[in-house]
Amino acid sequence: PVNIYYTHPSGTAGGGVAFRPLLVGSTIISVSMPGFTSAINSGARTVNVIQPSISLTTNYPTIGSGLQEGGFGNLGASQHGGVTVTLTSSDSTILLLAPNATTPGSGSIQIVLANGQTGFSFTAAGLEGISNTTTVTITAVASGFTNGTVGVSVDRPAVELQGLSTGAYTAGGPDVNFYAQIGLPNVQN
């Protein structure tokens, strides 16, 4: 509605103004000036501040019993002042969590993030002896964020030979190197 624009420098360092979303809620921000008409559609804005969330993912949606996989989390905001994220397995008799692949797992772990840090990693470990597919939920909780969840299934692992083909080998011939590989069964198993 206004044909000629004059803009003030953006940001508070240049003498402008800024909106800092501190708390969840809704507010109206308006502009007025003596002797001026406020533009009907652009003289006021309703601003909604929503709570940031936590997202969680794992490398694979299924983990073999007795095996482990990496997982990752991300906070939806970086200026949180420093926060502790608590990760919890919904069933610690099936799935344990650890901050890395070398630390023994437990049903719940805490990960401390400094202000400005948003990403974190963890390890999910399926306990041994699981013979039927069981789904467990990992939940992430941190003050000021909506909880994040990811479902992980734990299933019986499979083992296979690699590097050794079926067929004939000549007596006295060279050694044939091979290895056993463990993981999850596929549709061919």
Side-chain angles (χ1 to χ4, degrees):
V2 179
N3 294 328
I4 300 174
Y5 292 95
Y6 170 75
T7 57
H8 199 281
S10 62
T12 56
V17 295
F19 173 74
R20 179 174 290 166
L22 293 176
L23 300 173
V24 174
S26 180
T27 190
I28 297 174
I29 300 174
S30 61
V31 61
S32 65
M33 187 173 199
F36 286 77
T37 300
S38 288
I40 294 172
N41 293 324
S42 59
R45 298 279 193 270
T46 300
V47 178
N48 296 307
V49 178
I50 60 172
Q51 189 168 25
S53 61
I54 304 171
S55 61
L56 290 177
T57 59
T58 56
N59 286 339
Y60 299 98
T62 303
I63 298 172
S65 174
L67 303 176
Q68 61 187 18
E69 291 292 342
F72 306 93
N74 192 58
L75 301 180
S78 61
Q79 298 305 305
H80 45 69
V83 69
T84 299
V85 179
T86 301
L87 295 175
T88 304
S89 167
S90 65
D91 189 342
S92 60
T93 65
I94 304 292
L95 184 79
L96 296 178
L97 303 169
N100 55 54
T102 59
T103 300
S106 66
S108 182
I109 61 170
Q110 292 188 329
I111 300 170
V112 177
L113 300 177
N115 189 44
Q117 185 179 1
T118 59
F120 59 92
S121 60
F122 61 94
T123 297
L127 285 153
E128 293 182 3
I130 306 301
S131 58
N132 295 316
T133 302
T134 306
T135 301
V136 177
T137 301
I138 301 170
T139 302
V141 177
S143 179
F145 293 85
T146 57
N147 297 350
T149 61
V150 65
V152 177
S153 295
V154 178
D155 199 359
R156 172 183 271 172
V159 61
E160 67 180 355
L161 291 176
Q162 291 288 324
L164 187 64
S165 61
T166 57
Y169 292 92
T170 303
D175 290 346
V176 178
N177 296 322
F178 69 95
Y179 61 94
Q181 175 175 294
I182 60 172
L184 291 171
N186 60 35
V187 295
Q188 299 162 344
N189 297 126

